[in-house]
Amino acid sequence: MIETVFRCDDIPQADRFDYWREQMTNLVAPMEMSSDHTGDFQGQARVLELGAAHVWPTKFHPMRFRRTPKLIRQSDPELYHFSFLVQGNLQVSQARQETAFVRDGLYVVDTSRPYDCVAYGESPAGVGLEIPKAMIPLPYDRIDPLLARPIPGHEGIGALLGGFLTRLASDDGAYRLSDGPRLGNVLVDLASSLLAHAIEAESALPPETNRHTLTLRVKNFIQRNLHDPQLTPAAIAAAHHISVGYLHRLFRDEDTTVSRWVRQQRLDRTRRDLADPGLSAAPVHELASRRGFSHPAVFSRAFRAAYGIPPSDYRQLALKSGVPDAPP
């Protein structure tokens, strides 16, 4: 994954807004930008290149962005720009639609159409996602009614996309360069499924995209329910209204099994808990139970088989030497 960081703190104060304007133009597309804070402007952004998809967490002083017909004729990267708001407020208008957004709001705009965005409130911040329009397997005219309209970011596929974006934004250095295109493909599938769901056009998506999205939903469900010792393949399949056989096929495509993936998630979460100084007073069996291991002996055998060391010994080493937490 290729990452680029720019921040106004590194620029002389008098030049900061001009620098920000130049960087945002290069990052997104040519835009008119204005702010009441040009004299003391603050802004920072990271650009994560994930194949054709770009993710950019950003935070800045209140300002206004306008993409005009003249600027579109000057340059058009032909992108769908998704934005997940994590702080502050936005007023966005495009295609005769004008909507106000608050925290956890999710919307999409088209760089080929004029739009106007006003960010206000205390230190607006969010995570942007840009995907070439040609990679979204839906007709443009079906997506147009969704431009600048609120898309639920706290439930369903919107929550999956928003959660994935914020996780990418917070995981500094957790990914290899070769992970970028794979993560980009996941984002394209999620964004496509989100749009298709919003226009009730799931049938227009390729079967592979629907399958990938369903797999992500299943994995998200598993991770939220690891504490339940009854988290069986039958229970997981029933929660998603699919057969157990189809569930097994989803994970066979991932080169694993449902039970193995559940067990590994539980082991990884428990290993992270064992390395957490804030949980050092909790007995090992209690931490294992919180992650769905009903029998301490079964957990100990599984942990040792996975990591080559008993859980109690791992905890001692981790707390003594500061072994990094295992990723969830």
Side-chain angles (χ1 to χ4, degrees):
M1 181 167 63
I2 301 174
E3 177 178 341
T4 304
V5 179
F6 64 89
R7 56 175 61 88
C8 291
D9 289 347
D10 303 330
I11 306 299
Q13 186 165 318
D15 301 328
R16 288 177 181 173
F17 188 69
D18 288 340
Y19 169 79
W20 180 261
R21 185 162 47 195
E22 178 183 354
Q23 295 302 320
M24 293 300 290
T25 293
N26 294 334
L27 177 62
V28 185
M31 292 180 288
E32 293 180 356
M33 285 169 261
S34 59
S35 174
D36 293 334
H37 299 271
T38 54
D40 61 345
F41 192 80
Q42 291 287 346
Q44 60 184 37
R46 293 166 51 224
V47 184
L48 311 177
E49 297 183 35
L50 308 173
H54 288 188
V55 172
W56 50 285
T58 186
K59 184 176 182 179
F60 48 87
H61 264 142
M63 63 178 301
R64 182 179 186 179
F65 307 84
R66 292 183 68 238
R67 183 129 167 88
T68 65
K70 180 180 179 180
L71 292 174
I72 292 170
R73 290 193 298 271
Q74 175 183 326
S75 175
D76 182 15
E78 297 188 356
L79 302 169
Y80 283 123
H81 174 83
F82 297 79
S83 190
F84 184 70
L85 187 64
V86 297
Q87 183 174 301
N89 304 279
L90 287 175
Q91 187 83 22
V92 182
S93 61
Q94 186 175 53
R96 299 182 180 180
Q97 176 72 29
E98 183 172 356
T99 309
F101 296 87
V102 295
R103 181 185 175 93
D104 293 337
L106 180 64
Y107 70 90
V108 61
V109 293
D110 180 350
T111 63
S112 303
R113 308 277 295 274
Y115 63 79
D116 192 342
C117 175
V118 180
Y120 58 100
E122 184 175 354
S123 299
V127 187
L129 166 64
E130 288 173 348
I131 297 174
K133 292 164 61 177
M135 297 188 69
I136 301 294
L138 293 164
Y140 295 160
D141 61 341
R142 301 297 303 277
I143 297 176
D144 281 353
L146 300 178
L147 299 177
R149 283 181 51 188
I151 300 175
H154 58 278
E155 61 184 14
I157 301 173
L160 283 176
L161 178 59
F164 194 33
L165 289 173
T166 53
R167 180 62 184 270
L168 283 171
S170 63
D171 279 349
D172 292 341
Y175 303 102
R176 301 183 182 91
L177 181 64
S178 59
D179 292 328
R182 289 190 287 268
L183 293 170
N185 289 337
V186 172
L187 285 169
V188 170
D189 281 340
L190 274 177
S192 299
S193 296
L194 177 65
L195 294 175
H197 180 77
I199 60 178
E200 299 183 346
E202 287 90 342
S203 59
L205 289 175
E208 183 179 355
T209 295
N210 285 323
R211 190 164 57 249
H212 286 171
T213 302
L214 176 58
T215 302
L216 288 169
R217 290 175 60 191
V218 169
K219 287 183 174 180
N220 181 266
F221 174 83
I222 290 171
Q223 290 175 329
R224 288 187 287 107
N225 290 277
L226 291 175
H227 62 279
D228 184 358
Q230 302 303 316
L231 189 65
T232 63
I236 297 167
H240 292 84
H241 309 290
I242 58 177
S243 70
V244 175
Y246 187 64
L247 176 67
H248 285 306
R249 286 198 295 276
L250 291 177
F251 280 81
R252 191 158 55 241
D253 290 344
E254 302 278 317
D255 199 26
T256 187
T257 66
V258 183
S259 298
R260 185 183 303 144
W261 201 84
V262 171
R263 182 173 64 250
Q264 189 58 54
Q265 294 302 303
R266 284 174 165 159
L267 287 169
D268 283 349
R269 294 294 181 95
T270 309
R271 183 170 73 156
R272 184 184 64 181
D273 292 343
L274 290 169
D276 186 346
L279 298 174
S280 60
V284 171
H285 69 85
E286 180 181 318
L287 296 181
S289 178
R290 292 179 188 178
R291 300 303 183 182
F293 289 102
S294 302
H295 305 289
V298 172
F299 163 69
S300 294
R301 285 196 299 271
F303 191 96
R304 185 164 189 165
Y307 305 116
I309 185 173
S312 56
D313 292 352
Y314 175 84
R315 170 183 249 180
Q316 291 179 7
L317 289 172
L319 295 177
K320 182 178 180 180
S321 60
V323 172
D325 296 346

